[in-house]
């Protein structure tokens, strides 16, 4: 008799949709297997060890499925141990020695928190295995999830021998393990037995037809399920598709999920939402890499939203990552009617020339038109616009263009409704940007992308010279003047210093500039 324990490793409270989907899938294929979900995200840190021991003692699993969601903490917001971006910038760019020292202390705190969490999670995996071996010497450990998908190579030396390390979605792999079948063709390796294949992450995931998650069953095998229903501002994850066909130079989603977009049938998505709705959930996060990955998927998005509307679920809200170049007036209308109340536009830059150089493949003019359609459809909520400055070939002119673009978005939605979120790219393995960094001697092959040592972190928190110090100083000044409205302050400071371009300049990417494209454009996967 198989007994599977799904352990979601500690994480900020975010619904553990990954293990829920795996447990649901495995239950549908093997209805007789006993499952239990144990979510360390709901346990206070001091109780982790004891709670894990107790769960294993009671359940005595013979397969341990560990799900690890996030490792990286480069976020421009307060989080674990403080605001990592502010600490790093104070340490790297402050001229005032006291501020530099404050940055150093802050950075130390963040670094300690980072390594502390890393070692604690690795410790929990080892501890879980040893505890489970008391009851079953043949117990196996499988580990997967977002963090593992990104850092599967680095984790190799830190996990117990025999651990099966999985990249990307894990349903078929677990199915194979339970059937005692060969799983060597899956995106995985076994610590101490096989090496991760070269380019493993670029392999396509196995096809899988997703059906609505059976939440009655999930509620049976997961005692803390209701934890996520207590706060009514929680956004529960629902996946509507997998994969993204794009090539944005800094993005790893497209390799983790694969380039082939696989749509989950709209009726199944609505059936899944309905079960959550009946349990009182009103906020949903469509966890897709992109909700509308390309024009050819607009009809699928329309079908889904129309079915949500027809289902009669009232007062619901949803959010997702959305490429704003793929909207139509009909879609905008449905988005508003179905309760999309938070909108993130990840345009990165307001300069069409840089959009092309970063291989992001969209047209800024179209984005503006679609934003106007959205506003006309009645969208009146907050729009968060993500900007990552200084990715590649940024210069004062492209900054002025980004300012012009941002001001136009403010004219469309209202300045109080458009929130600029200032990011700097956290460089990730397996991206075009990583290859660019190798080719330009910014990083050396064999570097450790998980390292938080200041000399490596400075390269991974992507803000290269010659503009690195300029942005460093602008950000420091913005935090000093108005840390509560950091993004807007950054834009105001940039505009005061550099002025604003003509919008038409921002929207054009003159063809003769193609000659000057950096190596990036010629990179292959
Ligand atoms: C949607 C999303 C968000 C949404 C989540 C909304 C919500 N309410 O759910 C928002 C915007 C809030 C968000 C925030 C963050 N995110 Co995020 N997010 C994603 C995204 C795009 C999808 C995650 C998801 O839910 N997918 C759908 C579910 C079903 O898939 P899944 O959980 O990955 O599980 C599947 C597989 O991983 C696998 N699997 C999972 N566990 C296991 C276990 C075993 C044993 C096996 C075999 C397989 C397996 O099978 C599952 C089913 O197919 C991923 C990138 C991506 N494309 O994967 C990043 C990602 C998970 N996020 C990431 C990060 C870092 C964050 C932040 C910490 C960013 C930050 N610095 O602030 C925050 C904070 C999150 C928190 N804990 O508080 C990283 C994590 C890895 C890392 N780099 O450390 C990812 C991978 C993106 C990246 N650039 O690397 N995120
Ligand atoms: S940034 Fe968005 S559109 Fe670009 S590859 Fe990543 S998920 Fe796809």
């Amino acid at each position: 008799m198989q007994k599977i324990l799904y352990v979601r490793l500690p994480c900020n409270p975010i619904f553990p949709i990954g293990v829920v989907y795996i447990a649901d899938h495995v239950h549908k294929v093997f209805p007789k297997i006993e499952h239990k979900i144990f979510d360390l995200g709901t346990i206070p840190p001091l109780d982790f060890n004891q709670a894990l021991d107790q769960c294993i003692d009671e359940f005595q699993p013979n397969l341990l499925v560990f799900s690890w969601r996030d490792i990286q903490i480069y976020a421009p917001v307060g989080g674990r141990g403080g605001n990592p971006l502010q600490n790093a910038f104070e340490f790297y760019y402050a001229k005032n020695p006291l501020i530099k020292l404050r940055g150093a202390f802050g950075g130390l705190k963040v670094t300690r928190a980072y390594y502390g969490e890393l070692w604690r999670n690795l410790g929990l995996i080892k501890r879980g295995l040893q505890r489970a071996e008391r009851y079953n010497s043949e117990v196996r450990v499988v580990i997967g999830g977002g963090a593992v998908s990104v850092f599967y190579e680095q984790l190799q030396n830190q996990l117990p021998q025999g651990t099966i390390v999985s990249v990307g979605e894990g349903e078929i792999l677990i199915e194979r393990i339970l059937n005692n079948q060969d799983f060597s063709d899956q995106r995985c390796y076994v610590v101490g037995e096989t090496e991760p294949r070269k380019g493993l992450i670029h392999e396509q995931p196995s096809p899988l037809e997703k059906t609505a998650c059976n939440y009655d069953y999930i509620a049976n095998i997961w005692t803390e399920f209701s934890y996520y229903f207590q706060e009514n501002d929680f956004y529960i994850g629902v996946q509507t598709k997998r994969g993204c066909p794009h090539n944005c130079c800094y993005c790893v989603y497209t390799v983790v999920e694969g380039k082939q977009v696989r749509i989950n049938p709209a009726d199944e998505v609505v059936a899944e939402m309905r079960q959550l709705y009946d349990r009182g959930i009103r906020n949903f996060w469509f966890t897709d890499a992109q909700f509308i990955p390309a024009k050819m998927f607009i009809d699928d998005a329309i079908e889904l939203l129309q079915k949500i509307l027809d289902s009669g679920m009232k007062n619901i809200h949803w959010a997702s990552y959305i490429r704003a170049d793929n909207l139509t007036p009909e879609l905008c209308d449905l988005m508003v009617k179905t309760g999309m109340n938070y909108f993130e536009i990840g345009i990165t830059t307001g300069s069409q020339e840089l959009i092309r150089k970063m291989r992001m493949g969209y047209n800024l003019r179209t984005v503006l038109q679609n934003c106007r359609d959205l506003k006309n459809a009645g969208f009146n909520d907050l729009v968060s616009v993500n900007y990552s400055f200084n990715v590649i070939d940024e210069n004062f002119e492209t900054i002025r263009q980004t300012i012009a673009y941002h001001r136009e978005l403010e004219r469309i939605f209202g300045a109080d409704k458009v929130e600029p979120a200032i990011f700097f790219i956290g460089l990730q393995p397996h991206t075009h940007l990583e290859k660019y960094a190798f080719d330009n001697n910014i990083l050396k092959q064999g570097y450790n992308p998980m390292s938080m040592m200041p000399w490596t972190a400075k390269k991974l928190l992507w803000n290269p010279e010659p503009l690195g110090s300029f942005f460093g100083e602008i950000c420091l000044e913005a935090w000093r003047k108005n840390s509560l409205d950091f993004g807007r302050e950054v834009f105001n400071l940039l505009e005061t210093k550099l002025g604003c371009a003509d919008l038409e300049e921002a929207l054009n990417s003159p063809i003769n500039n193609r000659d000057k494209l950096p190596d990036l454009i010629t990179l292959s996967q």
Side-chain angles (χ1 to χ4, degrees):
M1 186 64 193
Q2 295 272 14
K3 278 179 148 195
I4 309 180
L5 179 64
Y6 301 86
V7 182
R8 207 278 285 260
L9 288 166
C11 186
N12 280 354
I14 204 161
F15 192 72
I17 186 78
V19 279
V20 165
Y21 278 6
I22 296 188
D24 174 64
H25 175 82
V26 175
H27 171 65
K28 283 170 181 158
V29 182
F30 306 97
K32 293 216 168 89
I33 287 184
E34 236 186 289
H35 302 251
K36 186 173 173 64
I37 294 178
F38 177 60
D39 177 12
L40 282 159
T42 63
I43 308 278
L46 287 177
D47 299 340
F48 286 158
N49 287 341
Q50 196 198 351
L52 180 65
D53 289 352
Q54 193 183 333
C55 176
I56 290 177
D57 291 347
E58 282 166 16
F59 189 65
Q60 303 184 8
N62 43 24
L63 183 65
L64 277 168
V65 171
F66 282 99
S67 183
W68 193 339
R69 190 190 188 279
D70 23 72
I71 284 181
Q72 267 178 331
I73 52 167
Y74 296 123
V77 287
R80 299 176 276 190
N83 179 330
L85 187 68
Q86 185 171 359
N87 289 324
F89 273 33
E90 285 182 353
F91 178 60
Y92 295 132
Y93 304 114
K95 296 213 167 86
N96 178 333
L98 287 176
I99 305 277
K100 213 177 187 55
L101 196 67
R102 185 174 72 182
F105 275 120
L108 210 64
K109 228 170 102 194
V110 172
T111 308
R112 262 185 45 198
Y114 171 80
Y115 282 111
E117 284 181 24
L118 201 59
W119 293 329
R120 184 202 58 208
N121 283 7
L122 291 164
L124 284 165
I125 296 168
K126 287 174 196 147
R127 187 182 184 101
L129 173 61
Q130 280 163 9
R131 196 84 184 181
E133 276 172 340
R134 287 190 185 179
Y135 306 101
N136 186 338
S137 57
E138 301 287 290
V139 66
R140 290 216 77 165
V141 175
V142 201
I143 168 161
V148 180
S149 299
V150 177
F151 298 111
Y152 65 99
E153 286 160 320
Q154 289 70 35
L155 288 170
Q156 180 174 194
N157 303 323
Q158 309 180 49
L159 290 164
Q161 296 286 307
T163 303
I164 304 165
V165 183
S166 163
V167 173
E169 53 208 67
E171 287 90 338
I172 304 295
L173 170 65
I174 306 265
E175 212 181 301
R176 293 274 188 86
I177 295 171
L178 292 169
N179 269 331
N180 255 325
Q181 283 172 328
D182 176 37
F183 52 78
S184 55
D185 63 332
Q186 294 299 299
R187 298 203 294 172
C188 68
Y189 68 91
V190 184
V191 176
E193 292 171 26
T194 51
E195 290 285 311
R197 291 185 290 277
K198 195 166 184 300
L200 170 67
I201 195 166
H202 297 289
E203 293 170 12
Q204 289 306 306
S206 306
L208 173 82
E209 171 95 346
K210 172 90 177 62
T211 53
C213 180
N214 176 352
Y215 273 107
D216 283 339
Y217 180 70
I218 296 298
N220 265 328
I221 61 166
W222 183 15
T223 33
E224 306 93 4
F225 183 40
S226 57
Y227 173 91
Y228 292 94
F229 298 178
Q230 287 158 15
E231 308 280 333
N232 51 15
D233 60 348
F234 241 74
Y235 278 74
I236 301 290
V238 173
Q239 196 181 47
T240 82
K241 62 189 70 60
R242 294 179 176 187
C244 176
H246 294 283
N247 259 324
C248 306
C249 70
Y250 50 78
C251 181
V252 74
Y253 297 9
T254 180
V255 279
V256 169
E257 293 195 15
K259 288 205 180 304
Q260 202 189 343
V261 177
R262 291 146 295 146
I263 307 283
N264 300 340
D267 289 324
E268 298 294 324
V269 177
V270 177
E272 185 169 312
M273 289 173 73
R274 165 60 76 180
Q275 294 179 59
L276 293 163
Y277 181 84
D278 289 344
R279 288 177 160 80
I281 294 299
R282 295 293 177 269
N283 297 329
F284 302 92
W285 190 292
F286 295 139
T287 59
D288 316 354
Q290 283 297 337
F291 183 62
I292 317 160
K295 296 233 167 345
M296 64 188 287
F297 302 106
I298 288 180
D299 286 347
D300 297 288
I302 289 179
E303 184 196 352
L304 174 62
L305 294 184
Q306 189 60 54
K307 284 189 165 157
I308 292 175
L309 197 62
D310 297 344
S311 75
M313 289 183 274
K314 297 266 178 298
N315 295 325
I316 61 167
H317 292 121
W318 62 271
S320 185
Y321 289 133
I322 293 173
R323 273 181 71 111
D325 56 332
N326 297 327
L327 306 184
T328 61
E330 183 187 5
L331 193 48
C332 290
D333 189 47
L334 277 168
M335 286 161 117
V336 174
K337 284 188 177 140
T338 49
M340 182 188 73
N341 69 339
Y342 177 71
F343 186 50
E344 257 188 47
I345 318 184
I347 55 169
T348 305
T349 170
S351 159
Q352 185 64 47
E353 187 186 339
L354 293 190
I355 292 280
R356 183 161 54 78
K357 289 184 175 181
M358 288 189 276
R359 308 172 130 216
M360 298 180 67
Y362 61 77
N363 183 300
L364 283 173
R365 198 184 294 275
T366 312
V367 172
L368 281 184
Q369 186 48 48
N370 293 348
C371 288
R372 287 186 196 107
D373 289 343
L374 197 62
K375 181 71 187 171
N376 291 338
F379 182 80
N380 213 13
D381 284 298
L382 196 67
V383 185
S384 168
V385 193
N386 297 351
Y387 294 103
S388 297
F389 285 111
N390 205 13
V391 178
I392 194 144
D393 269 15
E394 185 88 82
N395 57 53
F396 288 150
E397 199 42 53
T398 56
I399 300 171
R400 278 192 279 270
Q401 291 170 6
T402 300
I403 296 167
Y405 198 81
H406 185 70
R407 297 299 180 221
E408 185 62 19
L409 285 173
E410 288 182 335
R411 273 188 282 278
I412 295 172
F413 290 110
D416 57 325
K417 290 281 188 326
V418 184
E419 176 115 16
I422 311 292
F423 286 83
F424 286 84
I425 296 287
L427 187 115
Q428 296 203 297
H430 317 295
T431 57
H432 295 290
L433 197 60
E434 184 195 52
K435 181 148 193 320
Y436 175 78
F438 289 147
D439 292 349
N440 289 278
N441 289 326
I442 299 170
L443 282 172
K444 289 202 172 24
Q445 294 280 354
Y447 81 104
N448 178 5
M450 283 171 71
S451 169
M452 275 285 274
M453 290 299 115
W455 48 93
T456 313
K458 185 161 188 198
K459 291 177 178 170
L460 299 187
L461 183 55
W462 190 264
N463 183 31
E465 299 299 345
L467 282 186
S469 310
F470 169 76
F471 280 113
E473 281 163 30
I474 291 280
C475 290
L476 291 179
E477 196 176 337
W479 276 307
R480 202 167 47 242
K481 283 195 158 158
N482 191 359
S483 63
L484 293 179
D485 206 356
F486 172 69
R488 287 193 181 87
E489 192 60 44
V490 167
F491 267 89
N492 291 342
L493 288 170
L494 286 172
E495 187 164 4
T496 311
K497 281 202 166 44
L498 304 176
C500 179
D502 181 61
L503 181 63
E504 267 312 301
E505 273 174 43
L507 302 180
N508 282 317
S509 177
I511 214 77
N512 57 1
N513 272 357
R514 275 177 196 280
D515 306 336
K516 296 189 202 144
L517 286 188
D519 294 339
L520 188 62
I521 206 77
T522 59
L523 298 182
S524 57
Q525 288 266 83

